[in-house]
């Protein structure tokens, strides 16, 4: 009834919908999952943990009819309006989105609890009847504000991604003037290896899905070189 996937993955729970359709609890935290998928046939799923992944949008959960708890802590969800896809998940009572860009939007909490009236607990805090009623009454204006903040976020992210002088901040260590950067690790002297590592870890970058992947790749390379 439970599945715990503790490995790097780009696709969430590949083949789980074929092998384990009766799953009630699915742990997929701390992977490199970009997109929520392959869970639509899990009709009995009650708890899905996707914390610490690279998810950017809430999607493909409409058919998880029994879903009660959803953990999306520390992902990269900025499209907050994508939670509207959860309106039909009538049993969804608890959701976590702390650490996502959207959680910093003004009226984030109000928008979520008004859009999803079935939610009883958001980010570990119980939803009161009073705050939900007030949020519902202002939902139209709140949604307009959320749409504006989403658009502004995406614009700023694109500017940041392009960086100064055309360099993309997500390309960690991709371009350096060091000769050591072009050599295979096995051919590096201790001094060159130290220089390459310093260049990688000291390069200022944004926290993005790309940087998480680059860091993981770097750690794997270092492990293989030992």
């Amino acid at each position: 009834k439970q599945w715990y996937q503790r490995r790097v993955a780009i696709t969430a729970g590949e083949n789980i919908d074929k092998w384990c359709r009766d799953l009630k609890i699915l742990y997929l935290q701390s992977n490199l999952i970009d997109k929520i998928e392959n869970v639509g046939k899990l009709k009995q799923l009650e708890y899905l943990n996707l914390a610490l992944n690279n998810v950017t949008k809430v999607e493909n959960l409409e058919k998880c009819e029994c879903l009660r708890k959803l953990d999306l802590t520390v992902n990269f969800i900025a499209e907050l309006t994508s939670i509207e896809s959860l309106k039909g998940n009538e049993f969804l009572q608890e959701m976590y989105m702390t650490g996502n860009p959207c959680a910093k939007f003004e009226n984030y909490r109000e928008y979520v609890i008004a859009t999803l009236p079935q939610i009883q607990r958001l980010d570990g805090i119980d939803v009161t009847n009073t705050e939900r009623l007030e949020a519902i009454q202002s939902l139209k204006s709140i949604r307009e504000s959320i749409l504006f903040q989403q658009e502004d976020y995406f614009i700023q992210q694109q500017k940041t991604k392009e960086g100064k002088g055309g360099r993309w901040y997500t390309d960690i260590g991709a371009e350096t003037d060091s000769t050591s950067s072009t050599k295979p690790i096995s051919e590096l002297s201790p001094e060159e290896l130290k220089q390459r590592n310093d260049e990688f870890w000291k390069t200022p970058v944004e926290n993005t899905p790309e940087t998480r992947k680059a860091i993981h790749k770097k750690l794997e390379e270092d492990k293989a070189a030992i």
Side-chain angles (χ1 to χ4, degrees):
K1 297 294 185 178
Q2 297 186 34
W3 180 290
Y4 186 90
Q5 179 170 313
R6 191 66 176 86
R7 64 178 179 84
V8 174
I10 301 302
T11 302
E14 296 174 85
N15 296 315
I16 287 179
D17 59 339
K18 299 175 183 178
W19 299 336
C20 310
R21 291 193 178 187
D22 294 329
L23 277 178
K24 290 190 175 183
I25 300 174
L26 181 55
Y27 296 103
L28 295 172
Q29 69 270 28
S30 301
N31 285 278
L32 292 176
I33 295 169
D34 292 317
K35 183 176 181 179
I36 303 173
E37 54 189 346
N38 301 322
V39 293
K41 295 180 181 180
L42 303 181
K43 303 296 185 182
Q44 305 302 316
L45 187 65
E46 297 180 3
Y47 174 33
L48 175 60
N49 190 325
L50 279 164
L52 291 163
N53 276 289
N54 289 348
V55 175
T56 58
K57 181 179 180 179
V58 180
E59 58 186 335
N60 299 322
L61 294 173
E62 298 91 330
K63 295 182 179 180
C64 296
E65 302 167 356
C66 294
L67 190 63
R68 295 178 179 274
K69 182 177 179 181
L70 176 61
D71 193 341
L72 293 166
T73 303
V74 192
N75 276 275
F76 294 93
I77 299 170
E79 189 179 341
L80 183 55
T81 51
S82 64
I83 68 163
E84 293 176 8
S85 64
L86 299 173
K87 287 182 177 180
N89 296 80
E90 59 181 315
F91 297 110
L92 183 60
Q93 298 180 346
E94 192 170 357
M95 187 161 71
Y96 294 83
M97 296 186 73
T98 303
N100 285 275
C102 64
K104 297 181 180 180
F105 292 172
E106 183 178 358
N107 295 129
Y108 148 77
R109 181 176 174 85
E110 289 81 359
Y111 174 74
V112 175
I113 64 177
T115 302
L116 303 176
Q118 69 271 40
I119 294 291
Q120 301 298 314
R121 189 174 178 83
L122 177 62
D123 297 330
I125 301 175
D126 290 340
V127 179
T128 67
N129 292 332
T130 300
E131 68 171 333
R132 191 193 307 279
L133 180 60
E134 292 176 350
I136 290 174
Q137 291 173 341
S138 303
L139 181 57
K140 183 178 180 180
S141 61
I142 289 174
R143 188 175 188 277
E144 290 176 353
S145 173
I146 293 297
L147 286 170
F148 176 81
Q149 292 177 78
Q150 284 181 176
E151 182 65 22
D152 183 63
Y153 175 85
F154 291 133
I155 291 173
Q156 296 304 318
Q157 282 298 103
Q158 185 60 36
K159 289 180 179 179
T160 301
K161 190 174 184 180
E162 291 170 356
K164 295 181 180 179
R167 184 178 184 202
W168 287 35
Y169 282 82
T170 51
D171 295 336
I172 305 180
E175 296 179 3
T176 68
D177 295 328
S178 171
T179 304
S180 67
S181 64
T182 61
K183 288 185 180 180
I185 291 180
S186 59
E187 297 180 9
L188 295 177
S189 67
E191 293 76 15
E192 289 175 327
L193 182 59
K194 182 179 184 302
Q195 182 181 0
R196 178 185 285 189
N197 287 335
D198 287 345
E199 288 170 351
F200 181 90
W201 294 113
K202 293 180 180 179
T203 300
V205 294
E206 290 291 310
N207 182 28
T208 67
E210 290 84 0
T211 58
R212 278 191 182 173
K213 290 178 183 177
I215 290 170
H216 172 77
K217 181 180 179 181
K218 173 63 176 170
L219 293 172
E220 288 297 302
E221 288 177 349
D222 291 348
K223 185 188 298 184
I226 297 175

